[in-house]
Amino acid sequence: MSAYLPSLAGGMLIGASAVMFLLLSGRIAGISGIVGRLVQGIGMTTNLAFVLGLLLGPLAYLFMFGGWPVVQITEGWPLIIIAGLLVGFGSRMGSGCTSGHGVLGLARMSPRSIVAVAIFLTAGVVAVAVLRGLGL
């Protein structure tokens, strides 16, 4: 059970921060929307603070636990770049990302978010099956 505690704590922190963002700003904590507005120069203070908080998270982890989180990336950069571009395209096409739809959209029982999350998950399962079938 202790192996799952960091993930549980992380999920609780994500949920708490999303609820606080909604209550304090009246906006959904969807990362793609926040970054998109930041790039467009809209709501600079709030959006920049949110993005800086995301970027400073690993430093908080280092301070709290005395070491960096262990991250293992087993794929090459070309596949990672293609995957990142597809995720960015999909989040724009779906009018939101997994953080907005999956965390707050599902909590609010949004029909659009329920459909979006079902599509995200299905596409992920299909992508893994295809890539494994191709030996990648």
Side-chain angles (χ1 to χ4, degrees):
M1 181 65 182
S2 64
Y4 299 105
L5 291 179
S7 299
L8 176 63
M12 290 170 59
L13 287 171
I14 289 170
S17 66
V19 169
M20 285 176 34
F21 192 72
L22 180 62
L23 293 175
L24 296 173
S25 73
R27 294 182 20 220
I28 302 295
I31 307 307
S32 62
I34 289 170
V35 171
R37 284 187 295 277
L38 181 62
V39 169
Q40 294 171 355
I42 300 169
M44 291 295 291
T45 304
T46 303
N47 294 325
L48 183 60
F50 195 94
V51 170
L52 284 175
L54 290 174
L55 296 174
L56 293 175
L59 291 176
Y61 185 97
L62 174 65
F63 177 75
M64 290 170 51
F65 299 106
W68 294 105
V70 177
V71 176
Q72 292 181 331
I73 299 174
T74 58
E75 298 301 327
W77 282 107
L79 186 60
I80 292 170
I81 291 170
I82 291 168
L85 291 172
L86 287 172
V87 167
F89 175 75
S91 69
R92 295 304 289 178
M93 190 170 83
S95 298
C97 58
T98 53
S99 58
H101 285 301
V103 176
L104 281 175
L106 291 180
R108 295 180 307 119
M109 299 297 288
S110 164
R112 189 176 102 183
S113 291
I114 293 169
V115 170
V117 170
I119 291 171
F120 294 159
L121 292 175
T122 302
V125 168
V126 169
V128 169
V130 167
L131 289 174
R132 285 193 176 164
L134 295 173
L136 298 174

